[in-house]
Amino acid sequence: MRELFRTLLDRLAALFRRRRLEDDLAEELRSHLEMAVELNLGRGMSAEEARREALRSFGGVEQTKELYRDQRGLPMIETTLQDLRFGLRMLGRSPGFSLLAILCLTLGIGANAAVFSWVEGILFRPYPAVTHQEQLLAVTGTARGENGPTLISWPDLLDFERSCTLIDSFIVNKIMGTTLSIGDRAEVTTGSIVSANYFDAIGVHPILGRGFEPGEDVGRNAHAVTVISYQLWKGRFKGDPQIIGKTQRLNGVLHTIVGVAPEGFYGTFVGWAMQFWVPASMEENFEGGAYKLEDRGARWIESYVRLKPGVTREQAQQEISAAAKRLEADYPDTNRGRGVQLWPLWQTPFNNAGTLLPTLEIMLAVVVFVLLIACANVGNLLLVRSFARRHEMTVRLAIGAARGRLLRQLFTEGLLLSAFGAAGGLLVAYWCRHALVLLFPARGGVAMHLPGEIDWRVLALSAGVCLVATLLLGLVPALQTRNLDLAGALKSDSAAVVGGGGRAWIRSGLVVMQVSLSFILLVGAGLLLESLQKIRNTSPGFSTHEVLDTAVNLVSAGYDAQRAQSFQDELLDRVKALPGVESAAFGRMTPLGYGSFSSTLIAVDGYQPPPEEQSTVEYNEVGPDYLATMGIPLVSGREFTRADDEKAALAAVVNETMAAEYWRGRNPIGARVQVKGRWMQVVGVAKDSKYQSVREAPKPFFYVPLRQNFSRGAGLYIRTPLSPETIATALSREVHALDPDLALFEVITLQEQLDRSTSPQLVAVTLVSVLGGLALLLSAIGLYGVMSYAVSQGTRELGLRMALGANASNLLRLVMSRGLGLTGGGVVLGAAGALALTRLLGNLLYEVSPRDTAAFGSACVVMIVTAAAACLLPAWRATHTDPARALRD
Amino acid sequence: MAASKSDVLQGTLDLLVLKTLDSMGPMHGFGIAMRIQQLSQDLLQLNQGTLYPALLRLEQRGWVVSKWGVSENNRKAKFYSLTRSGRKQLEEEAEDWARMSAMINRMLRTS
């Protein structure tokens, strides 16, 4: 055993010292022969005789060397190296072919590698700085009667933490934004409200100062401390080494900076890079509303758990579900019908992993299509070339090359092509790894953070793709050499344009496959495009044009409630007085924004909720004229006026769905609704509109007067035909007249707001369209290649037809009909495939059937027009065949 | 069949080389060839060239080591010498050979 190993090592080492060993060998043999000659001379032979006798008894110097070499190195590796060298020479000899083939493969493999890197960096391992992220799961609540996941309350979370033994730690991480003013510069920043165990639990250690200490997440506004990100420290604080202990105003409250997070740590939220972290005790200051840490009914937490080693998700889910059951029994008022669900990170519903998941799943399928199309193209190129190399192959067979050896040579060339393709592809992936962000507009001046990750898994997968491509490419020459016969190869045979015998079917088959795959992608792109248009044209129930949305940041400027109220009144008067402004209003939450509306338990006289369910309804706090400004029609009653203030009776406006559900056809005006223990009188009914997402079903919703439920962080809505830029200038003038230090948010139309909320659809459309276009281009190249080749090989037939009286238009029709025939076959196959596959688009489609005729029809038109264009040049060339020359050659 | 025959021959040649180096001390290839031919009284028609792959094989297994040196008539030559594990191998193989030839002799005599 040891000797075998020694031998192998020795042989391996020999591969790298060939030249020296070769010299050694020659020297040793020469010295042997010289000694033999000398001995023979000593025996009295002549010089000539002595030499001949020495060589005779040695027995063939070259054979000995050959035997010696076989013993010395590893013959298999050496032939492979030889194949590689030869392959490289062949590729170098036809650079046009090689470049085209490598380009095709680069695009095919690059698309795969780029999507792999996104899947890895966004779905599977989104937090590289976090230790053992495979043990992390996302946690959400569930509520009977509600479709999607819900959030979790702080007291519930503490109870879970106490009763779950399989879970190592619960990590609270709630994203929020604030305006950061450092020096004279103010900008919107994203931060997280976290539990005190946050940094310890995820294994990220601040490079300066400390993380949070146990107990810092307890008490109302009790611990104004913050850990800042590395980028914030380097950028806004200029890397100040004395930063620890300094203070920074965050949302109006001075926080002590206790730590700086390490470089490369961006928090634990897919989509946004966090710039600072505060403990949960500061929640009220950032979240607004009320103090929620002791309110079991206030659900606001997004969180993760870290499993103990060896625990599966199912086990943990069972344990935590049992705990939720106990809470249901102990606190029926707040927890009836409430459960908990654990999700793998890639399904995290509350960040962009959830929103991008369906798109990325589709992309994984799409890139496989692109790869197949690229391989088909290269396969076709190889076929053409192997035809041209038939002579070479035949000669090599004739002088005794084994067929397997020949195949190996061709296979090595395929491997070389795909290896170059893979290298180029990884370069493409490297450039594209952060490209997803480009498809999302920045919100409030903050760009999204969606980094791809190229780690060993992505590299391994790409290598796998490269191998698959090699195998696919290797099939072509394998089919070729199978029926390579020595005698036949020297006879020239010319393929026919129509029908075409022999190997033409492989090429035609490849083209049909390409066309059908591209057709499927075109249909997919068409369906997604239609959905996007439908979504964007859906009426959200409020005006999207001529209404602008902005905000003035009073919270981070340190305004108290009273000062904020009088500021809002004054600003509203000034804005309404601006020329071109029809109306203006404040409201706490903008519809279709990222943040969620507050929800609350309600009670209505004479209404009994179904057993096991709770009457939880979302609401918004809005100022006078809000509905009119937003363009939400009133069905009956009135909306809020300036009279609905702190001193007036509590009022509410409900939407139609809520009226129908809770008052069942009776007129709710004048009826009472209880919200958080306070009774309010319904004064109006508004039409339904979209609140959180364009795609949501109508749901109960109500409005309460901003004055009676005051929030300093309110949005400002302005109805005006003027452009956002004009208003922004005027608005900033008015705001600075009131307070020169205030920072303004960007001014956008509600249409822009709507568009931003549909960016996942936009991403899907863009990606599928780009790759669909790429596929179409590759297929067109494939079709063009096949047709030009058929024409160039069929010159004799074309010439004959011409000589027999066919005119140019006959020939044109002949070639075009063959090309379009192939396309037609591909379209039929593709349509069958598309019918089976488009259902997979599922949730990405919006009010569009997966069998939508418009999408299929337009894909058909695009495909046929492209195919016709691709065939035109070869067909035109066919009409210029010179019959005399064609027949003579 | 041809392969197994050459295997036997190969094994025999290895044994002869090891034995020669054992009794004569460090030698170059030509010397080993001469010595084997001389001892076999020219009965063994050895292609001297085959000695070199055999020497390489023994060296790869660690049974001999080689070193460039100068021969008795001042010529540069590669000298091979037996290692400790080579000596052990020789003992084992010689024993095997003795047992084998004894057995074959017995069989030839009894029939």
Side-chain angles (χ1 to χ4, degrees):
Chain A
M1 201 53 229
R2 233 186 66 216
E3 278 138 19
L4 256 175
F5 185 66
R6 266 196 66 127
T7 307
L8 186 73
L9 267 186
D10 210 86
R11 286 177 163 220
L12 211 62
L15 290 181
F16 302 97
R17 302 185 300 152
R18 263 175 69 115
R19 182 142 314 149
R20 242 205 63 210
L21 293 173
E22 200 61 25
D23 289 347
D24 257 22
L25 176 62
E27 173 94 35
E28 189 174 14
L29 298 190
R30 197 173 57 241
S31 124
H32 178 114
L33 288 173
E34 280 168 5
M35 285 193 241
V37 169
E38 211 164 292
L39 189 77
N40 290 342
L41 285 174
R43 286 177 182 163
M45 295 183 201
S46 73
E48 176 68 15
E49 231 177 326
R51 180 153 190 81
R52 207 171 38 234
E53 177 54 26
L55 281 173
R56 197 194 54 74
S57 51
F58 192 84
V61 178
E62 284 312 310
Q63 284 98 309
T64 302
K65 280 188 179 171
E66 205 50 53
L67 276 174
Y68 192 91
R69 284 183 198 122
D70 280 354
Q71 177 70 33
R72 182 182 60 198
L74 290 166
M76 223 177 72
I77 292 187
E78 277 173 9
T79 19
T80 309
L81 288 176
Q82 206 181 352
D83 280 350
L84 280 177
R85 268 195 301 274
F86 184 75
L88 278 175
R89 266 212 309 278
M90 284 311 292
L91 296 189
R93 191 171 301 167
S94 37
F97 157 84
S98 310
L99 271 182
L100 193 57
I102 290 171
L103 191 69
C104 283
L105 288 170
T106 293
L107 292 175
I109 296 175
N112 275 271
V115 171
F116 292 157
S117 83
W118 297 341
V119 169
E120 179 77 356
I122 293 166
L123 297 183
F124 288 129
R125 280 164 198 87
Y127 316 122
V130 172
T131 49
H132 293 292
Q133 39 178 333
E134 70 280 355
Q135 293 169 349
L136 288 188
L137 297 174
V139 191
T140 65
T142 61
R144 211 166 291 141
E146 232 173 279
N147 245 333
T150 65
L151 301 175
I152 293 182
S153 73
W154 184 264
D156 278 358
L157 195 89
L158 293 183
D159 282 331
F160 292 141
E161 202 162 18
R162 268 191 288 274
S163 54
C164 290
T165 55
L166 301 176
I167 289 168
D168 188 62
S169 44
F170 281 77
I171 305 153
V172 171
N173 173 61
K174 178 67 186 286
I175 182 178
M176 45 89 173
T178 185
T179 307
L180 200 60
S181 312
I182 299 168
D184 54 354
R185 205 148 60 91
E187 64 187 35
V188 183
T189 328
T190 41
S192 279
I193 302 167
V194 299
S195 43
N197 67 350
Y198 184 72
F199 289 99
D200 291 332
I202 60 175
V204 169
H205 306 291
I207 50 167
L208 283 180
R210 58 171 175 93
F212 298 123
E213 283 168 355
E216 280 187 328
D217 53 8
V218 183
R220 185 172 194 171
N221 290 327
H223 303 279
V225 291
T226 181
V227 172
I228 59 172
S229 74
Y230 185 85
Q231 305 98 280
L232 193 62
W233 177 55
K234 277 286 174 196
R236 303 297 296 272
F237 293 104
K238 304 191 173 60
D240 176 7
Q242 251 71 59
I243 190 76
I244 303 301
K246 295 201 171 159
T247 55
Q248 168 65 37
R249 195 172 286 281
L250 294 170
N251 256 24
V253 173
L254 274 182
H255 285 66
T256 307
I257 296 172
V258 296
V260 175
E263 193 175 4
F265 177 65
Y266 301 98
T268 44
F269 187 95
V270 171
W272 301 97
M274 298 299 138
Q275 300 298 344
F276 68 96
W277 295 265
V278 294
S281 55
M282 303 308 291
E283 160 274 325
E284 189 182 4
N285 184 44
F286 293 93
E287 284 268 304
Y291 178 60
K292 305 197 197 75
L293 294 195
E294 280 154 24
D295 183 353
R296 202 175 281 277
R299 298 188 162 80
W300 60 283
I301 292 173
E302 294 166 352
S303 98
Y304 301 100
V305 295
R306 183 188 283 289
L307 297 181
K308 287 191 174 153
V311 176
T312 66
R313 180 161 63 92
E314 288 70 27
Q315 292 165 336
Q317 176 72 62
Q318 258 173 13
E319 189 183 46
I320 202 170
S321 288
K325 266 269 175 312
R326 285 197 295 278
L327 290 181
E328 258 191 279
D330 292 352
Y331 308 99
D333 286 351
T334 49
N335 287 44
R336 193 165 356 107
R338 298 281 178 172
V340 192
Q341 192 171 358
L342 301 179
W343 310 75
L345 280 190
W346 55 279
Q347 287 178 334
T348 308
F350 50 74
N351 62 32
N352 287 283
T355 23
L356 283 171
L357 177 61
T359 306
L360 288 175
E361 279 174 340
I362 296 297
M363 290 317 294
L364 281 176
V366 167
V367 291
V368 169
F369 282 18
V370 172
L371 180 70
L372 285 177
I373 292 172
C375 282
N377 256 359
V378 179
N380 256 335
L381 286 171
L382 277 178
L383 262 179
V384 172
R385 211 176 52 132
S386 78
F387 194 77
R389 281 176 69 185
R390 245 152 57 107
H391 205 79
E392 173 206 332
M393 293 296 158
T394 321
V395 169
R396 294 176 71 179
L397 275 180
I399 59 174
R403 212 162 278 250
R405 185 75 182 73
L406 222 57
L407 259 184
R408 232 174 73 184
Q409 171 63 44
L410 291 173
F411 198 74
T412 309
E413 288 179 38
L415 186 66
L416 270 176
L417 283 178
S418 49
F420 279 120
L426 283 176
L427 214 60
V428 169
Y430 182 76
W431 287 328
C432 295
R433 70 197 192 285
H434 300 331
L436 268 189
V437 170
L438 304 178
L439 303 177
F440 289 92
R443 292 194 190 179
V446 187
M448 283 190 81
H449 176 76
L450 286 169
E453 180 80 16
I454 299 185
D455 54 14
W456 66 267
R457 294 179 196 84
V458 173
L459 291 179
L461 258 178
S462 310
V465 166
C466 169
L467 277 182
V468 169
T470 312
L471 283 177
L472 291 176
L473 297 182
L475 276 179
V476 176
L479 285 170
Q480 266 315 94
T481 50
R482 204 189 49 191
N483 40 24
L484 196 65
D485 72 303
L486 287 182
L490 294 172
K491 297 184 219 142
S492 75
D493 59 339
S494 54
V497 175
V498 185
R503 65 198 53 81
W505 70 267
I506 309 180
R507 297 169 51 75
S508 308
L510 287 176
V511 165
V512 169
M513 184 194 89
Q514 286 183 309
V515 170
S516 57
L517 290 179
S518 326
F519 183 79
I520 295 175
L521 293 188
L522 285 179
V523 171
L527 288 172
L528 289 173
L529 198 64
E530 243 182 292
S531 301
L532 184 68
Q533 273 170 349
K534 281 246 166 75
I535 286 184
R536 297 213 158 161
N537 294 333
T538 301
S539 164
F542 51 82
S543 317
T544 51
H545 294 284
E546 308 202 337
V547 184
L548 304 178
D549 161 25
T550 186
V552 182
N553 203 306
L554 300 176
V555 181
S556 61
Y559 276 55
D560 60 16
Q562 195 154 23
R563 217 176 131 207
Q565 279 183 3
S566 54
F567 175 87
Q568 285 183 357
D569 286 344
E570 273 180 68
L571 182 63
L572 209 56
D573 287 339
R574 280 169 175 265
V575 169
K576 281 177 175 168
L578 287 175
V581 170
E582 291 163 18
S583 70
F586 280 99
R588 193 171 84 82
M589 289 279 308
T590 306
L592 310 181
Y594 170 73
S596 24
F597 288 98
S598 312
S599 66
T600 176
L601 281 173
I602 61 157
V604 167
D605 287 330
Y607 174 81
Q608 202 59 38
E612 306 291 296
E613 250 180 61
Q614 289 182 315
S615 313
T616 310
V617 179
E618 288 175 311
Y619 65 95
N620 193 7
E621 300 91 335
V622 301
D625 291 338
Y626 173 83
L627 296 177
T629 304
M630 295 293 282
I632 301 172
L634 266 176
V635 180
S636 61
R638 63 171 180 91
E639 74 165 306
F640 306 131
T641 64
R642 282 211 171 175
D644 292 305
D645 60 8
E646 303 88 335
K647 286 165 271 175
L650 299 178
V653 170
V654 302
N655 75 354
E656 277 187 304
T657 305
M658 182 164 170
E661 206 167 291
Y662 288 86
W663 285 278
R664 299 207 174 79
R666 287 181 290 124
N667 186 359
I669 307 251
R672 295 195 309 167
V673 52
Q674 192 193 35
V675 177
K676 292 184 179 167
R678 302 194 297 171
W679 285 97
M680 301 175 172
Q681 193 177 35
V682 177
V683 297
V685 178
K687 269 229 180 285
D688 286 346
S689 65
K690 303 291 183 191
Y691 305 98
Q692 205 77 70
S693 143
V694 192
R695 318 186 52 165
E696 74 197 6
K699 59 179 177 186
F701 195 88
F702 67 97
Y703 303 90
V704 295
L706 188 57
R707 265 306 160 87
Q708 295 174 354
N709 308 267
F710 191 68
S711 155
R712 290 169 296 166
L716 174 59
Y717 310 97
I718 304 170
R719 177 171 279 274
T720 173
L722 298 178
S723 73
E725 294 75 32
T726 319
I727 289 296
T729 324
L731 189 62
S732 117
R733 205 171 47 236
E734 298 303 330
V735 167
H736 290 143
L738 288 172
D739 182 342
D741 292 333
L742 279 180
L744 251 103
F745 279 89
E746 56 176 347
V747 180
I748 59 170
T749 64
L750 286 183
Q751 181 65 42
E752 173 71 21
Q753 174 82 1
L754 175 74
D755 289 349
R756 288 179 186 185
S757 77
T758 56
S759 39
Q761 269 82 16
L762 177 68
V763 173
V765 169
T766 315
L767 290 178
V768 175
S769 305
V770 165
L771 288 172
L774 187 64
L776 189 67
L777 180 72
L778 288 174
S779 309
I781 292 175
L783 191 62
Y784 168 80
V786 165
M787 290 322 292
S788 357
Y789 185 70
V791 167
S792 73
Q793 291 297 304
T795 320
R796 187 183 298 230
E797 181 205 329
L798 292 169
L800 198 61
R801 281 171 187 265
M802 266 194 155
L804 292 175
N807 58 23
S809 75
N810 291 138
L811 292 185
L812 190 74
R813 214 174 306 130
L814 180 76
V815 177
M816 290 298 281
S817 68
R818 168 128 168 83
L820 290 179
L822 289 179
T823 310
V827 167
V828 169
L829 269 180
L835 281 178
L837 290 176
T838 46
R839 273 182 301 111
L840 300 181
L841 289 172
N843 226 359
L844 287 171
L845 295 186
Y846 176 75
E847 289 183 357
V848 172
S849 149
R851 306 183 161 191
D852 184 73
T853 37
F856 275 75
S858 46
C860 208
V861 170
V862 170
M863 195 73 241
I864 287 174
V865 168
T866 311
C871 296
L872 209 57
L873 192 60
W876 179 81
R877 217 178 286 136
T879 62
H880 285 64
T881 312
D882 175 358
R885 249 189 70 200
L887 292 176
R888 199 173 49 234
D889 287 346
Chain B
M1 277 331 277
S4 67
K5 189 175 163 198
S6 81
D7 276 352
V8 173
L9 286 175
Q10 209 174 59
T12 321
L13 183 60
D14 288 0
L15 182 57
L16 293 178
V17 170
L18 290 175
K19 179 63 196 163
T20 308
L21 288 178
D22 183 42
S23 47
M24 306 290 294
M27 288 187 96
H28 47 65
F30 182 68
I32 297 174
M34 287 294 101
R35 173 76 183 161
I36 290 177
Q37 252 164 325
Q38 183 195 344
L39 282 184
S40 72
Q41 284 148 4
D42 288 340
L43 283 176
L44 193 60
Q45 277 305 320
L46 181 69
N47 259 348
Q48 293 170 2
T50 55
L51 205 56
Y52 288 92
L55 280 168
L56 177 63
R57 190 165 54 240
L58 295 178
E59 191 173 7
Q60 283 171 344
R61 291 178 187 173
W63 295 336
V64 305
V65 289
S66 67
K67 206 167 70 188
W68 283 101
V70 179
S71 75
E72 48 280 19
N73 15 2
N74 257 338
R75 205 173 283 289
K76 195 181 165 200
K78 210 179 201 178
F79 280 79
Y80 294 85
S81 52
L82 208 58
T83 64
R84 188 178 307 172
S85 71
R87 192 156 287 122
K88 224 176 92 198
Q89 178 70 15
L90 171 63
E91 280 164 21
E92 277 170 25
E93 278 194 31
E95 239 168 72
D96 282 352
W97 181 260
R99 218 178 299 127
M100 182 84 135
S101 59
M103 182 193 75
I104 291 174
N105 282 335
R106 215 167 33 243
M107 281 178 70
L108 291 177
R109 237 176 284 137
T110 51
S111 53

